Amino acid sequence: MTAAPRRTKLHAIAHGRSGDKGNRLNVNVIAYDSRHWPVLVEQVTAERVAALFAHRGVTEVRRYELPGLAALNFVIEDALEGGVNSSLGVDTHGKCLSYLVLGLDVQVPVDMGDGALPPLALQNAR
């Protein structure tokens, strides 16, 4: 019998890195455990990331899959209000914007084995 999936925040199963080049934001999402790679591929889509950044005027999101690293790389165009040299934003490099992606809700199967999903108390502590 298969248990129902549990909804959690993406940061419970993955971490992220981000950076910039001009007005282009780069966000990486890396699974803590490679068993969660299928969850990332299925649920962390370019369309969902584009919707997260729509308020910033994003014009395009491209997703690159890195299965050997259990990671996704998103290249997000026009997300930094013109870039470091022209934006008056607080985070002109976009260093904290990976947290926006890590706040996505995902459905994680609970039958992926021991340690597949951290206990709820740990998830809430992150």
Side-chain angles (χ1 to χ4, degrees):
M1 180 172 163
T2 302
R6 184 190 317 166
R7 186 177 71 177
T8 189
K9 296 294 183 187
L10 180 57
H11 63 77
I13 63 167
H15 62 98
R17 302 283 296 174
S18 60
D20 71 287
K21 185 60 76 181
N23 198 20
R24 181 177 296 137
L25 174 65
N26 187 299
V27 175
N28 296 291
V29 176
I30 306 111
Y32 290 122
D33 187 316
S34 61
R35 290 178 290 182
H36 292 126
W37 169 243
V39 174
L40 298 186
V41 171
E42 180 184 305
Q43 299 179 42
V44 188
T45 64
E47 292 77 17
R48 288 187 77 192
V49 172
L52 279 176
F53 288 94
H55 68 285
R56 298 182 72 102
V58 167
T59 58
E60 181 182 2
V61 175
R62 292 184 305 277
R63 183 179 87 166
Y64 298 93
E65 299 178 1
L66 304 157
L69 300 174
L72 298 172
N73 179 32
F74 293 92
V75 177
I76 306 167
E77 301 290 344
D78 303 313
L80 297 174
E81 301 172 350
V84 173
N85 294 324
S86 57
S87 173
L88 297 176
V90 175
D91 181 12
T92 55
H93 291 276
K95 295 294 185 189
C96 67
L97 293 175
S98 64
Y99 292 102
L100 187 60
V101 177
L102 294 174
L104 279 172
D105 286 329
V106 292
Q107 298 285 329
V108 179
V110 293
D111 60 349
M112 295 182 88
D114 291 339
L117 192 60
L120 285 175
L122 181 58
Q123 292 177 42
N124 294 332
R126 289 185 182 165

